[in-house]
Amino acid sequence: MFRRTLLALPLLAPALPARANDRRRREEQERVRRAIAEGRILPLSEILAMLRPQLGGEVIGVELDEEDGRFVYEIKVLMRGGRRREFEVDAATGRILKVDD
């Protein structure tokens, strides 16, 4: 399965030289902007507004991946009691595809 992470936590950044990392991040951000402008994906703010009641906790991280040509938001949520859940969400529709406990 082809998978590309478009947005990731900045903690992974030190692995690449600063200039290459900055260029790659700008390219990824532009790719996401184009996808939103073309209507291929919904902005994260819309996705979170739609799903907040279903998430049931505090959002602690988000990544946008491209898997087999389909954009998927991975939303990490801290639940009451300290449990962590991850929601995979279709970035075009906001439909929850998978929930990992």
Side-chain angles (χ1 to χ4, degrees):
M1 169 169 45
F2 175 73
R3 181 178 177 162
R4 182 190 315 198
T5 299
L6 298 177
L7 299 175
L9 298 175
L11 299 174
L12 302 177
L16 295 176
R19 287 185 188 165
N21 189 49
D22 289 346
R23 185 184 75 241
R24 186 173 134 200
R25 183 176 292 138
R26 282 192 307 272
E27 289 170 357
E28 290 171 354
Q29 290 171 344
E30 183 56 34
R31 183 179 169 108
V32 171
R33 282 189 205 101
R34 273 195 313 269
I36 291 170
E38 293 168 0
R40 292 185 295 138
I41 65 173
L42 296 172
L44 178 60
S45 59
E46 287 184 35
I47 294 287
L48 292 176
M50 289 170 32
L51 296 180
R52 195 153 314 269
Q54 297 173 48
L55 298 178
E58 179 184 348
V59 175
I60 58 172
V62 177
E63 292 181 12
L64 178 63
D65 293 337
E66 185 176 359
E67 299 177 4
D68 298 324
R70 175 173 161 179
F71 288 97
V72 175
Y73 283 109
E74 293 180 0
I75 303 171
K76 294 163 185 67
V77 177
L78 184 62
M79 309 299 288
R80 289 187 187 121
R83 193 179 74 201
R84 186 176 155 257
R85 296 176 86 186
E86 184 173 307
F87 294 78
E88 289 188 11
V89 177
D90 185 308
T93 66
R95 184 172 68 92
I96 295 174
L97 304 171
K98 182 179 175 186
V99 180
D100 290 328
D101 288 312

